[in-house]
Amino acid sequence: MYFDSDKPIWSQLVEEFTRRIIAGQWPAASKMPSVRDLAAEVGVNPNTVQKALTELDRSGLTLSERTAGRFVTDDNQRIQSARTQAARLFAVTYMNNVQGVQMGEEEACALLRAVWEESENNG
């Protein structure tokens, strides 16, 4: 995994792990990999992974059961809400970028539709 030196690694891990949950890579109610396994996978200290997972627990996307391990929430509404929030941030970024090059709403939406169709045709 590539890390941006401008952001704390644990914060980037929160984003990555959230992405895995909202994309269904880690389904609702599923058992998550251990801290050690995740640390080995992403190549960071287990304490850094633990900090990210603690933040996911705090957000309600995961829950830690003392003897059983950590699980993705079974609250599909919470997962959908996180998915919508993430997509909204992507949309705001896109909007800001196209407005920055003086592109209007209709042109930006048409461009997005065209790119979407290209991706479906090539995917």
Side-chain angles (χ1 to χ4, degrees):
M1 185 171 168
Y2 168 79
F3 294 105
D4 179 348
S5 61
D6 293 337
K7 290 173 66 176
I9 292 174
W10 69 268
S11 174
Q12 294 175 69
L13 290 175
V14 169
E15 291 171 2
E16 171 60 17
F17 298 161
T18 298
R19 186 199 61 76
R20 291 178 187 190
I21 292 168
I22 64 179
Q25 188 176 350
W26 291 343
S30 66
K31 186 169 180 14
M32 294 177 61
S34 71
V35 170
R36 278 180 209 234
D37 288 345
L38 287 171
E41 176 191 336
V42 297
V44 301
N45 186 297
N47 292 334
T48 304
V49 171
Q50 182 60 50
K51 184 171 183 173
L53 293 174
T54 298
E55 187 59 31
L56 285 178
D57 289 348
R58 197 170 302 148
S59 76
L61 284 176
T62 61
L63 54 117
S64 183
E65 295 182 9
R66 186 167 289 203
T67 58
R70 182 172 270 106
F71 294 83
V72 174
T73 182
D74 61 358
D75 184 346
N76 286 314
Q77 187 173 7
R78 184 176 298 272
I79 294 170
Q80 182 59 39
S81 176
R83 184 173 177 246
T84 300
Q85 182 180 10
R88 181 175 179 75
L89 289 173
F90 299 142
V92 167
T93 299
Y94 175 70
M95 182 190 69
N96 289 337
N97 287 333
V98 297
Q99 284 177 338
V101 295
Q102 303 303 308
M103 186 178 285
E105 177 185 351
E106 285 184 32
E107 188 179 2
C109 288
L111 176 62
L112 182 58
R113 276 191 296 279
V115 171
W116 192 288
E117 288 172 11
E118 287 172 14
S119 111
E120 286 180 339
N121 293 333
N122 295 327

